[in-house]
Amino acid sequence: MRELARRLASELPADAVSEGDSVRALHGQDESFHREVPPDLVLFPSSRSELVAVLSAAAELEVPVVPFGAGSSLEGQVIPASGGASIDLGRMNRILEVDPDSFTATVEPGVTRLELERKLAESGLMFPVDPGADATLGGMAATNAAGTMSARYGKMRPNVLALEAVLPGGRTIRTGSGALKTSAGYDLTGLLIGSEGTLAVISELTLRIRPIPDATCAVRITADSIGTAGEIAELMVATGIDASRIELLDEWEVEGLNRIRPGSLPAGSVILVELSGSEAAVASELADLKGLLSEADGLGLEVERSSAGQRELWRTRHDAMAGEQAMAPGRQCRSTDVCVPVGSLTETLVETRETIDRFGLGAGIVAHAADGNVHVGIMLDRDDPDEMRRGELLVEALAESALRRGGTCTGEHGIGLGKIRLLEREHGDSLDLMRAVKAAFDPDGIMNPGKVFEDALPSPTRNK
Amino acid sequence: MRELARRLASELPADAVSEGDSVRALHGQDESFHREVPPDLVLFPSSRSELVAVLSAAAELEVPVVPFGAGSSLEGQVIPASGGASIDLGRMNRILEVDPDSFTATVEPGVTRLELERKLAESGLMFPVDPGADATLGGMAATNAAGTMSARYGKMRPNVLALEAVLPGGRTIRTGSGALKTSAGYDLTGLLIGSEGTLAVISELTLRIRPIPDATCAVRITADSIGTAGEIAELMVATGIDASRIELLDEWEVEGLNRIRPGSLPAGSVILVELSGSEAAVASELADLKGLLSEADGLGLEVERSSAGQRELWRTRHDAMAGEQAMAPGRQCRSTDVCVPVGSLTETLVETRETIDRFGLGAGIVAHAADGNVHVGIMLDRDDPDEMRRGELLVEALAESALRRGGTCTGEHGIGLGKIRLLEREHGDSLDLMRAVKAAFDPDGIMNPGKVFEDALPSPTRNK
């Protein structure tokens, strides 16, 4: 490690190599519940050539490296659990090109999604993947991030057309192309997306961008229970209401939101819907939605067409984490997610609430309903070993339940440190193939070791 | 080979193992221009367990195998160029489940897209990937097929949620899940899709299906030249006209269509557009489209709302190959495709016509305009070596031109036998990684050797 720092000191600017405690501490954690492990060294390349120098030296010295974007991963992906160096890509943050004629944008990996959003908005364009945090595009690709609009537009994978990536050792490859589709060889773009920094470091991305819809409209529906909310959402999906977002919050979440803004919501479970498209399409979908709901009783249907009104309605969703905190002061949130076939959404939601209660834990449920993605924020006292254990068992129970229904142990958050055993449970029959792919890209096992798979190879080389 | 036939004779029904000349001849060709090479043996497994028996014996005896669906591949993918056995999956043709609540369908690989279309239509559902031929779903996944609606719905990759695949040696794996999204480990589903039978044999697919839109409308526009047609298509895309299909046919194609149905089309280049969605959305998009075109002169705009009228308009597109044949009686069609960034569509179309003319060949241009996918049907006389050579040079020139514009050497057809050198040209920097992936799945190199990559390993074992 000292050797790596010494060598890179001559190849990178002085301020691009840091062993300071505060810098290391900042790179030892993400937004997950996993324990902090500071890296031994933090590197800040500001160009591809500097990144090449880093990966060339790291491979030669067999030092583990962990790519770091905004630190907003949710399963410990950026935590250097096996030691080594953190590669902070925040200085590779240029938007290289926006091509409105071809609907593509090419960016460096450290550009955040809100920076890109602002730039694209100047041309009436948008990028449709919106995880909660202001993550970097590189990190979003590495974790195959999703968001509230994934049922319509897909996650990162179908929205990234091409990648440039630097392999351990410093070799640079380019995958995909600037065209919207290709059949040229194996899908290395899709393989790098979601590989959680275990194969290579993404150094450039070409994204598929879209026109901002002419019109949007937000609808808030209140249901008496999460079960009823699930049924309404399933009905919307089944009857083909073409919403761009269908978000659910359960009664516990709503109670939390009412604690931070008393009286702001009726008691119950909330469904937030966004319709978007042409003015005529939005009007037509809204009429269909109202027709669909007219037979249901007691749903406080609120429709907002103004920008300000829509922002206010969506605040409910954005404040969910604050609401969870208000329900359990002093506890910390362990966020977990599963994804089930959409037709199993309601039973999954109902069972999730029963399971939370059975474990005697405080937790809220939020769902991206249109693709069956259920998030649970479990509030835990780190100093209570029994509660911590029940939290762990709850995460496993939710995943087992999703797998039983033909779903997956994670729809968005990925494997990282937190779901390695669940990945073995879900895809044990092909893990050796995934490991062989890993070995092809990273023969010395220096790329983010200990993530996705249990065996970190090589063993930590802190003393080098 | 004799040993494989002998061994499988005891494990498969008698009619599932054939060495007959006519059966072999049928499995030695596809719809491409590549020379026929009959397999030594044709196998017809009718269940996963029979497929496992085939792949187990083939691996043990190191006999190359080539998966075969409907034989509609366009770059020689199913031609056993290195000898060995063809595995015809046509008897694995059951639709196992349609789940309208979760918008999924699970099928065996030999189900064809029209069989699935008929079944899904009973429930008001559809699968949106529509290559020209009535291909099998397994073959469509293996080649990452696309079609006229890919700009809106994507190719096979985002529309396949889960796969079951049998590896050489007979081991079965399951990738993905029944949920609409997952972040559980590397994307082996996406890797198998588009691997052209070189990694494993797909034995089951879970597809994402969609509701049939409430309304559709077809529009035919006539432009004086392919350049003008390209400009109109680019304008439609740039202004956000949300068409489900935008198909272009150049003047040469239109002339061919007028030869088979005299006077059916005005001279020029034709743009066929489909609008689909809710009644209100279609009406609104149609109004926008008419507004957009009102400033352009001399476009014979024809709008068809009736089913019969739409079918008639779309006949123009379906008959394209017959039109090409009418332009060059006695010649055979070599079909090739490239894909470019949408903003380069017009210049690509114009240059494509110039390049065809420069080579002195007869060829028609058809394009899926919304995703920049350009197809050229080159009519060639197999007995004219010079014309054949010019055909080869034209294919290369079109690919080089697409690569120069940041596109890809194939948007849909894949690599197969025909574009191996062009894949090297496009992705030479990562071919070793693709080969390493191949080695992980297929260590003995028995899966469709000689496709995608040049080196067929092992060498043909016809004498075993």
Side-chain angles (χ1 to χ4, degrees):
Chain A
M1 188 57 60
R2 297 256 12 109
E3 175 61 22
L4 181 67
R6 196 157 37 232
R7 175 156 157 192
L8 289 175
S10 68
E11 301 190 45
L12 268 59
D15 69 349
V17 182
S18 174
E19 296 179 277
D21 285 349
S22 63
V23 171
R24 290 171 49 237
L26 276 173
H27 293 82
Q29 58 192 326
D30 60 6
E31 291 183 8
S32 76
F33 196 72
H34 300 285
R35 291 270 176 206
E36 179 184 337
V37 182
D40 300 304
L41 184 68
V42 184
L43 303 163
F44 297 89
S46 54
S47 66
R48 182 182 60 207
S49 62
E50 289 182 7
L51 180 59
V52 166
V54 166
L55 284 163
S56 171
E60 199 181 315
L61 300 168
E62 288 183 31
V63 174
V65 291
V66 182
F68 186 100
S72 54
S73 55
L74 289 166
E75 284 295 353
Q77 279 89 347
V78 301
I79 299 176
S82 308
S86 181
I87 305 176
D88 186 319
L89 296 149
R91 294 186 191 172
M92 291 179 70
N93 63 349
R94 290 177 303 161
I95 296 173
L96 300 170
E97 190 189 20
V98 174
D99 182 345
D101 296 324
S102 293
F103 288 92
T104 58
T106 301
V107 302
E108 289 187 325
V111 172
T112 73
R113 70 174 186 89
L114 293 179
E115 284 164 3
L116 181 64
E117 184 176 304
R118 278 189 291 272
K119 177 71 180 173
L120 294 178
E122 294 170 9
S123 314
L125 298 165
M126 66 164 199
F127 182 66
V129 187
D130 64 335
D134 187 19
T136 62
L137 274 309
M140 286 163 64
T143 54
N144 192 18
T148 59
M149 297 187 286
S150 299
R152 179 182 282 188
Y153 297 105
K155 300 175 66 180
M156 283 300 279
R157 202 167 277 132
N159 291 294
V160 177
L161 301 176
L163 289 175
E164 180 193 83
V166 183
L167 301 175
R171 197 179 114 202
T172 303
I173 62 169
R174 286 186 165 271
T175 71
S177 84
L180 287 183
K181 65 188 189 190
T182 175
S183 275
Y186 298 167
D187 184 24
L188 299 188
T189 309
L191 197 54
L192 287 168
I193 295 172
S195 65
E196 304 188 8
T198 63
L199 299 180
V201 181
I202 294 167
S203 50
E204 192 181 295
L205 308 90
T206 299
L207 309 169
R208 178 179 185 174
I209 56 180
R210 319 262 176 168
I212 295 176
D214 290 340
T216 58
C217 156
V219 182
R220 190 180 73 197
I221 302 157
T222 310
D224 58 356
S225 70
I226 187 67
T228 310
E231 280 168 13
I232 292 170
E234 275 193 54
L235 192 63
M236 286 176 58
V237 173
T239 50
I241 301 281
D242 184 22
S244 41
R245 296 180 162 111
I246 308 177
E247 298 288 301
L248 305 189
L249 296 98
D250 85 330
E251 302 96 294
W252 197 91
E253 294 280 351
V254 171
E255 193 182 331
L257 289 165
N258 273 328
R259 287 196 188 175
I260 54 174
R261 256 194 308 282
S264 64
L265 293 166
S269 187
V270 164
I271 310 171
L272 294 167
V273 180
E274 183 182 74
L275 305 171
S276 64
S278 66
E279 292 282 358
V282 168
S284 150
E285 295 292 329
L286 182 60
D288 287 352
L289 178 60
K290 285 179 173 170
L292 188 72
L293 297 180
S294 64
E295 288 162 33
D297 287 332
L299 307 170
L301 192 77
E302 192 174 338
V303 178
E304 282 292 349
R305 294 178 153 279
S306 73
S307 300
Q310 290 185 51
R311 262 197 306 277
E312 183 56 32
L313 270 199
W314 283 106
R315 190 150 77 146
T316 310
R317 177 67 184 82
H318 297 145
D319 288 347
M321 283 184 86
E324 292 166 2
Q325 198 63 67
M327 290 292 281
R331 284 185 164 80
Q332 276 186 282
C333 180
R334 174 167 182 172
S335 179
T336 192
D337 89 311
V338 297
C339 199
V340 296
V342 186
S344 313
L345 177 68
T346 301
E347 58 188 62
T348 300
L349 291 168
V350 170
E351 190 190 286
T352 297
R353 171 49 60 200
E354 287 167 0
T355 310
I356 294 168
D357 293 347
R358 197 173 70 242
F359 280 105
L361 292 165
I365 304 172
V366 175
H368 306 314
D371 50 18
N373 189 200
V374 177
H375 293 252
V376 180
I378 313 165
M379 303 308 292
L380 296 173
D381 177 356
R382 280 195 183 279
D383 297 326
D384 181 338
D386 180 64
E387 191 167 298
M388 290 289 282
R389 191 184 56 83
R390 281 181 284 136
E392 182 68 30
L393 292 173
L394 174 58
V395 167
E396 278 174 35
L398 297 176
E400 286 293 341
S401 155
L403 293 177
R404 214 165 45 237
R405 293 192 166 90
T408 176
C409 72
T410 174
E412 295 187 340
H413 296 185
I415 303 301
L417 288 168
K419 287 194 166 166
I420 290 175
R421 266 189 303 168
L422 288 166
L423 178 65
E424 288 169 4
R425 168 83 178 72
E426 182 172 342
H427 289 303
D429 63 349
S430 57
L431 270 188
D432 62 325
L433 294 169
M434 294 189 199
R435 282 205 183 90
V437 167
K438 159 94 173 156
F441 280 77
D442 178 29
D444 299 318
I446 67 163
M447 292 304 308
N448 207 0
K451 310 296 163 58
V452 184
F453 312 110
E454 190 114 80
D455 45 347
L457 291 169
S459 50
T461 53
R462 284 167 179 271
N463 302 324
K464 284 216 178 184
Chain B
M1 187 58 59
R2 296 254 17 107
E3 175 62 21
L4 181 68
R6 197 157 38 234
R7 176 154 156 192
L8 289 174
S10 67
E11 301 190 45
L12 269 58
D15 68 351
V17 182
S18 174
E19 296 177 277
D21 284 348
S22 62
V23 171
R24 288 172 49 238
L26 277 173
H27 292 81
Q29 57 192 326
D30 59 7
E31 292 182 9
S32 74
F33 195 72
H34 299 286
R35 290 269 175 207
E36 178 183 340
V37 181
D40 301 302
L41 184 68
V42 184
L43 303 163
F44 296 88
S46 53
S47 66
R48 182 182 61 208
S49 62
E50 289 181 8
L51 180 58
V52 166
V54 166
L55 284 163
S56 169
E60 200 181 314
L61 300 168
E62 289 184 29
V63 174
V65 291
V66 182
F68 186 100
S72 54
S73 55
L74 289 167
E75 285 294 353
Q77 280 89 349
V78 302
I79 298 175
S82 309
S86 180
I87 306 176
D88 186 318
L89 295 149
R91 293 186 192 173
M92 292 179 69
N93 63 350
R94 290 177 302 161
I95 295 172
L96 300 170
E97 190 189 21
V98 174
D99 182 345
D101 297 324
S102 293
F103 287 92
T104 59
T106 301
V107 302
E108 290 186 325
V111 173
T112 72
R113 70 174 187 87
L114 293 178
E115 285 165 3
L116 181 64
E117 184 177 303
R118 280 188 289 272
K119 177 71 180 174
L120 293 178
E122 294 169 9
S123 313
L125 297 165
M126 65 164 199
F127 182 66
V129 186
D130 64 336
D134 188 19
T136 62
L137 274 308
M140 288 165 63
T143 54
N144 192 20
T148 58
M149 296 187 286
S150 299
R152 179 183 281 186
Y153 297 105
K155 300 174 66 180
M156 283 299 279
R157 203 167 275 133
N159 291 297
V160 177
L161 301 176
L163 290 174
E164 181 191 83
V166 183
L167 301 175
R171 198 180 113 199
T172 303
I173 61 169
R174 286 186 165 271
T175 70
S177 84
L180 287 185
K181 65 188 189 189
T182 175
S183 276
Y186 299 166
D187 184 23
L188 298 187
T189 309
L191 196 54
L192 288 167
I193 295 172
S195 65
E196 304 188 8
T198 63
L199 299 180
V201 181
I202 294 167
S203 51
E204 192 181 298
L205 308 89
T206 300
L207 308 169
R208 178 179 185 175
I209 55 181
R210 319 262 176 168
I212 295 176
D214 289 341
T216 58
C217 158
V219 181
R220 190 181 72 197
I221 302 157
T222 309
D224 59 356
S225 70
I226 188 67
T228 311
E231 280 167 14
I232 292 169
E234 275 193 55
L235 191 64
M236 287 177 57
V237 173
T239 51
I241 300 281
D242 185 23
S244 41
R245 296 180 163 111
I246 307 177
E247 299 289 302
L248 306 190
L249 295 99
D250 85 330
E251 301 95 295
W252 197 91
E253 294 279 352
V254 170
E255 191 181 333
L257 290 164
N258 274 328
R259 287 196 188 174
I260 55 174
R261 256 195 307 285
S264 64
L265 293 166
S269 188
V270 164
I271 311 172
L272 293 166
V273 180
E274 183 182 75
L275 305 171
S276 64
S278 66
E279 292 282 358
V282 168
S284 149
E285 296 292 328
L286 182 59
D288 287 352
L289 178 61
K290 285 179 173 171
L292 188 72
L293 298 180
S294 63
E295 290 162 34
D297 287 334
L299 307 168
L301 194 76
E302 192 175 337
V303 179
E304 281 294 349
R305 296 178 152 281
S306 73
S307 301
Q310 291 184 50
R311 261 198 307 277
E312 184 56 31
L313 269 201
W314 283 104
R315 192 151 75 143
T316 309
R317 176 69 184 83
H318 297 146
D319 289 346
M321 282 183 86
E324 291 166 3
Q325 198 62 67
M327 290 291 281
R331 285 186 164 77
Q332 274 186 284
C333 181
R334 174 166 181 174
S335 179
T336 191
D337 88 311
V338 298
C339 199
V340 296
V342 186
S344 315
L345 178 66
T346 301
E347 59 188 61
T348 300
L349 291 168
V350 171
E351 189 190 288
T352 297
R353 172 47 62 198
E354 288 167 1
T355 310
I356 294 168
D357 293 345
R358 196 173 69 242
F359 281 105
L361 293 165
I365 305 171
V366 175
H368 307 313
D371 48 19
N373 189 199
V374 176
H375 294 252
V376 180
I378 313 165
M379 303 308 292
L380 297 172
D381 177 356
R382 279 195 183 279
D383 297 326
D384 181 340
D386 180 63
E387 189 167 299
M388 290 289 283
R389 192 184 55 83
R390 282 181 284 136
E392 182 69 31
L393 291 174
L394 174 59
V395 167
E396 278 174 33
L398 298 177
E400 286 294 339
S401 156
L403 293 177
R404 214 164 45 237
R405 294 193 165 90
T408 175
C409 71
T410 173
E412 295 185 341
H413 296 184
I415 302 302
L417 287 169
K419 287 195 165 165
I420 290 175
R421 266 188 304 167
L422 289 167
L423 178 64
E424 288 169 4
R425 169 81 179 72
E426 182 172 342
H427 289 302
D429 63 348
S430 57
L431 270 188
D432 63 323
L433 294 169
M434 294 189 200
R435 282 206 183 90
V437 167
K438 159 95 174 156
F441 280 77
D442 178 29
D444 299 319
I446 67 164
M447 293 302 310
N448 207 1
K451 311 296 165 59
V452 184
F453 312 110
E454 191 114 77
D455 44 350
L457 292 169
S459 51
T461 54
R462 285 166 178 270
N463 303 324
K464 283 213 178 185

